[in-house]
Amino acid sequence: MRVVIIGPPGAGKGTQAKRLAERFGLSHLSSGDILRTQKSSGSELGKKLRTYIDAGALVPDEVVVAIMAGAIAAQAKDGLLLDGFPRTLAQAQALDRQLEQLCLPLELVLVVDVPDEAVVERIVGRRSCPKCKRPYHVKYLRPRNDGRCDDCGLELQQRSDDTEETVKKRLAAYHAQTAPVIEYYTGAGRAPVVKVDGRGSPDEVTARLFEVLGAQAQRKRRGQATEVTARD
Ligand code: AP5
């Protein structure tokens, strides 16, 4: 399956995408993780990215599209879960063009719905593993050993853009630039869009998402079986 997960900052996209990718055998591509890796590389591009990310602004479309295109081309055939991309209409159109060229259309857009007031606490309390990027929360998703990743044992870190002030800017960018992407997919019927309630515990949200993706996987299997029967 090729799936996009959309939602405001702190909606739980990263947390849920990791679980969904594991459960459904998809490659999880997080544009935020990919851009942060570049940012900390010390390269000229990394320095440029820092100015956007730390200010809570979106990185220019042409830069993100070029970075994501390579990763998408490498993974699209085996199943893909895109987290944080596309985030503007121009990015959505670029993704459509690339998938069309690969003859591998997008199959599902998951929208994780969380009100603005809930995301600030989630983001300010987030900590993540510098190696595997697994996200935790000081209150809602604590590691087994205080301050250390359950999987890697490394000390958890706080992202430089996870401040209250920056979150407000990221939320404003989401409403102005990313919300129209949902309309883009819904309006022209480009891909099925399913809104999922992102409130409640991480496990409750996972259960809702597993249900939606499970149903989509079943539809796909049935479609393939029908195709084989018709060919026979
Ligand atoms: P990115 O890394 O994509 O950040 P974001 O969209 O702001 O989303 P977050 O990673 O903050 O949140 P999330 O929804 O993944 O939540 P998480 O699961 O971690 O982008 C960062 C920056 O990179 C952008 O601002 C931009 O500059 C740039 N960028 C990236 N992509 C770009 C693009 N396509 N174009 C242009 N620029 C781009 O959860 C958050 C916290 O809440 C965690 O601590 C978690 O443990 C906790 N939590 C999760 N679920 C729950 C729950 N149900 N209840 C309580 N706590 C929960």
Side-chain angles (χ1 to χ4, degrees), residues 7-16 30-33 35-36 49 52-54 56-61 64 68 83-88 91 121-123 125-127 135-138 140-141 159 161-162 170 198-203 205:
K13 303 181 295 295
T15 305
Q16 299 300 337
S30 153
S31 55
D33 285 346
L35 292 170
R36 275 185 292 280
L49 293 178
Y52 293 100
I53 296 173
D54 288 356
L58 293 187
V59 172
D61 287 332
V64 184
M68 292 302 289
D83 155 16
F85 180 88
R87 230 180 174 96
T88 64
Q91 292 178 21
E121 192 199 3
R122 285 192 188 183
I123 288 211
R126 170 173 42 202
R127 302 290 181 272
Y136 296 86
H137 192 277
V138 291
Y140 300 118
L141 211 60
R159 272 167 46 178
D161 60 340
D162 276 354
R170 283 159 58 195
R199 293 169 303 174
S201 74
D203 288 349
V205 180

Side-chain angles (χ1 to χ4, degrees), residues 36-204:
R36 275 185 292 280
T37 301
Q38 281 282 350
K39 182 185 113 171
S40 50
S41 68
S43 66
E44 278 312 306
L45 173 63
K47 285 181 202 155
K48 201 170 149 195
L49 293 178
R50 181 178 297 276
T51 60
Y52 293 100
I53 296 173
D54 288 356
L58 293 187
V59 172
D61 287 332
E62 61 279 14
V63 177
V64 184
V65 168
I67 291 177
M68 292 302 289
I72 291 167
Q75 310 283 352
K77 212 163 162 244
D78 301 325
L80 199 60
L81 180 53
L82 290 171
D83 155 16
F85 180 88
R87 230 180 174 96
T88 64
L89 284 177
Q91 292 178 21
Q93 286 157 350
L95 175 65
D96 270 357
R97 281 194 297 274
Q98 185 181 7
L99 292 179
E100 212 172 284
Q101 276 166 11
L102 295 168
C103 296
L104 297 168
L106 195 61
E107 287 157 288
L108 186 63
V109 176
L110 289 171
V111 180
V112 183
D113 215 12
V114 179
D116 287 7
E117 27 323 338
V119 306
V120 178
E121 192 199 3
R122 285 192 188 183
I123 288 211
V124 174
R126 170 173 42 202
R127 302 290 181 272
S128 41
C129 174
K131 190 175 172 208
C132 72
K133 316 293 179 203
R134 183 170 164 179
Y136 296 86
H137 192 277
V138 291
K139 188 166 153 196
Y140 300 118
L141 211 60
R142 298 165 67 99
R144 280 194 297 272
N145 293 319
D146 218 18
R148 298 212 164 257
C149 177
D150 290 350
D151 297 328
C152 309
L154 294 180
E155 196 175 333
L156 301 179
Q157 294 178 348
Q158 184 169 23
R159 272 167 46 178
S160 55
D161 60 340
D162 276 354
T163 64
E164 212 170 318
E165 194 195 340
T166 314
V167 174
K168 287 184 183 142
K169 293 185 188 148
R170 283 159 58 195
L171 269 172
Y174 175 77
H175 290 299
Q177 290 161 280
T178 309
V181 173
I182 303 169
E183 304 307 318
Y184 169 81
Y185 285 120
T186 322
R190 287 187 168 86
V193 177
V194 180
K195 270 196 188 174
V196 175
D197 188 356
R199 293 169 303 174
S201 74
D203 288 349
E204 284 167 341

